[in-house]
Amino acid sequence: MATAAAFTRRGRGRNALDWDQFRALLVASVKLDLRSTRMQRGRTGKFPPIAAAFATYVVMGTLLALAVMSTDDVFVFSLFTLSAAMFMTALLVIMEYSSVVVHPDDFDVLGYRPISSRTYFWAKIANLGLYVAATAFALSIPASIVVGIKYAPGAVLTAVYLLAALVACQATAALVVLIYSVAIRVFNYEKFTRAITYVHTLSTLVIVFGYVLLPRVLAKDVMLLSVERGAWVYAVPPAWYAGAVELATGTGGRQSLALAGLAAVSAAALIWAAMNTVSLDYSRRISALATASAKAVKEAGRRKSLGRLGLPLCRTDEERAGFELMRSYMTRDRKLRARIYPAFGLPLAVYVYGLITGGLHDPFVPQEISGGFPAHQLLGFYSVFITLFFATAIAQSDQWEASWIFYSTPVRSRAGIVTGARKLIIWRYLLPFFAFLFVLLAFAMPPAKAAMYVLLNLLLALTAFALLSLTSPHLPLSQSLEKAKQARQIGLIMLLGMSMAALTAILELMKQVPRAGFAVYPALLLLAVGAELLLRRRLERRLAREEFPG
Amino acid sequence: MEDGPRERTADGAIVFENLTKSFGEIEAVKGVTLSIPKGQICGYLGPNGAGKTTTVKMATGMLEPTAGRAIVEGFDIVKEPLEAKRVIGVVPETGALYATLTPNEYLALVGRLYHLDRDETDEKTHTFLKLFGIADVADRLMTTFSRGMKQKVLISAALLPNPSVLFLDEPLSGLDANTALVLKELLRDLASQGRTIFYCSHILEVVEKVCDRVVILVGGEVIADGKVEELKDMTHQGSLEDVFSELTSSENLAEIVRAFSRSITGDGGA
């Protein structure tokens, strides 16, 4: 093999790549990816999360391709579908960074083995590359088929589209890895561990803007799926890859060539840069993220009284226990926070988008009067969407084995523990978030209307939080973290939540029949309470017979 | 109670020179200096939080010392990590392994990481697992294993590359009595073959029986270092347990027990 000379077979140098170790680590990583921690002999029929996640992505990709195939412009089609694929890739790498880029156990298992950093990082990068490639393939195969049938019949364009999608997603993953590496190098360790959750949020905001919203902002009419090309295409990464696809159809001009060139150069640069960042030391840092320093514990202590103000919401000892447990973990477990905080980047990004486009107008009057794309509806959707992050994340922890205590103590109602944890989330995160949203919206619409709109979204969010928790009816922090587990749940939930039908219908009703508002709020309140009772009942039944998963 | 540092052997299989580790303001290990000659089993004792595991992590390259250095078989663990790690076997306190692999797969991975011949790895794996009584579950995922079963796999992994130095952090954790007996005998046998063993444990009876030398750590500092008999003579105590209590406990143990008992029954806490 020509490249064999480049590898030092026995890794004599401290930073040499050891080919044998590389292969062994990669094979082990792939095996770990494909297995669920709860898989056992005789129970291997259970779908590993990664397979279920990919199946979800195929469905999402299909829906998206069908939604935008009405356009006759291959550039526009590719722009939207590639944006979605890149966004999903970024989101899953951000949200599951601690398991996608490095396995949480890597440092404890491999730290004392004779493996060079270079060997480790090559194995991890190869593993990440495979994972991202599989994700990109699952998300993009439907769009590639549409491209091959509609825009330039033939298998060649299908292959070109797939290649563009694979490279685009790899470059996106590399960008996230780079953001982390910069954060690690810029901040000292203590600051980094504090900054990481905010890096997540900021990354989400940047990515949402760069890949999804900016093209829409710049589009003349987003609903018609057309874009007016200008210099902006050079600033929007998905446009680069869309240009490459267009070039392959033979319809592109100089601009497509330039965009394709940008795509190739930027991807190569990003991937090269990312490949120089990951090392075993990353695993140590990621492992340490869950451990609060003495300083952080002191800070958490200072915040104790504020969090405890919500305790009176809890009616039983079990609820108080769940409340306190979740309060401590949300304060000290940075991994948990890092999985949840990115959610807040989405509505913030939409808010800024609404300000730019003038789309944040009075939601209770017909659109033709106030004009502009109704960004508030998108904001409403994302306000509901953040509850999905909480619903899926609060059950998972890398310290899930500690949940044995709920099974070994005479707990009267395990459901009460979940209820307490959920009350903490509502008290400490959802209510302040919607209060903050009210303040923001009060700049864009009359305060009374802002309050009405925020209340509407809060009731919808509480309903969604209860209903979505039905998909993860587990004790808090009692489920193991697994690669793609959260991504699969979010993917599934995104499918459920892709429509803003409920919010749109309510707004339309209130526009057509202004007095309907008197009935809408009590009805939504009843809905939220009903959803909560339904969840409570399911939890009571499910958790009463659930065995300790360890 | 330390009667001055013992004579250091310059060519010890394990040498710590002023080994220090700080975590922010907390100094976990404070200038530990030791030299453990080839073929010795050194017990490393101390109360919870004394810095034992931190020492092991520094000596095995998992933590970088804040100051000082650790040398294993002549290799500085910071400057020559790969060379040092090739000669050591480790049973970590955390019991960490990839539980979604089978023992066969896990040990095959370890064998590859040390460049062992595949047939040799398979043969050793089969032998170890059989001797430990878990050969029948060699192809099952370890997610279902008990702590003791996982510990047997970890010990097998530590022995697989035939290391000349072993770092064992609570190696008997979860093991049944028979396996513990086997392991104790095995350690003596390995030491007689010239292997050096650094043995961290809270089980003083085992340390007393197995170790040639005992080092006691309190608050990150070595407060005693010697043969078990030397420590007994020095403290005028009859057992290592009493020596340990004498050196590490600042309070009256009987009073602590009474206070606990009162607290449990609700008659007033400590």
Side-chain angles (χ1 to χ4, degrees), chain B residues 11-126:
Chain B
D11 58 346
I14 303 171
V15 178
F16 299 155
E17 291 177 359
N18 191 34
L19 200 60
T20 302
K21 183 68 190 177
S22 300
F23 298 100
E25 297 163 7
I26 300 165
E27 203 170 8
V29 176
K30 302 172 184 171
V32 169
T33 298
L34 287 175
S35 178
I36 302 166
K38 199 173 179 65
Q40 189 175 75
I41 305 180
C42 177
Y44 200 58
L45 308 179
N48 297 131
K52 302 185 298 295
T53 297
T54 303
T55 307
V56 171
K57 283 184 174 176
M58 285 192 283
T60 56
M62 295 185 74
L63 281 178
E64 198 163 321
T66 308
R69 59 181 189 153
I71 297 163
V72 182
E73 292 281 31
F75 299 113
D76 186 314
I77 192 72
V78 174
K79 292 178 181 165
E80 302 156 291
L82 299 187
E83 291 79 359
K85 288 175 180 180
R86 281 192 193 109
V87 298
I88 64 175
V90 181
V91 176
E93 183 207 28
T94 57
L97 41 63
Y98 294 130
T100 39
L101 296 181
T102 67
N104 274 341
E105 288 171 341
Y106 182 72
L107 293 172
L109 169 67
V110 173
R112 295 286 294 277
L113 295 179
Y114 288 86
H115 302 290
L116 302 183
D117 177 77
R118 192 169 291 186
D119 291 338
E120 181 190 355
T121 302
D122 290 346
E123 193 181 324
K124 278 186 173 181
T125 296
H126 180 71

Side-chain angles (χ1 to χ4, degrees), chain A residues 83-165:
Chain A
S83 290
M86 292 167 81
F87 171 67
M88 279 305 296
T89 302
L91 197 63
L92 80 89
V93 177
I94 285 172
M95 293 194 61
E96 304 202 336
Y97 191 85
S98 59
S99 58
V100 167
V101 179
V102 289
H103 192 280
D105 291 336
D106 277 355
F107 182 69
D108 283 337
V109 176
L110 302 174
Y112 52 85
R113 308 277 181 210
I115 306 164
S116 70
S117 274
R118 187 169 292 264
T119 303
Y120 174 78
F121 105 74
W122 271 98
K124 285 289 131 184
I125 287 289
N127 185 224
L128 176 66
L130 285 175
Y131 183 62
V132 170
T135 305
F137 189 79
L139 281 165
S140 305
I141 190 79
S144 71
I145 292 168
V146 169
V147 165
I149 293 172
K150 180 172 179 180
Y151 298 103
V156 174
L157 194 61
T158 295
V160 168
Y161 181 91
L162 264 185
L163 182 65

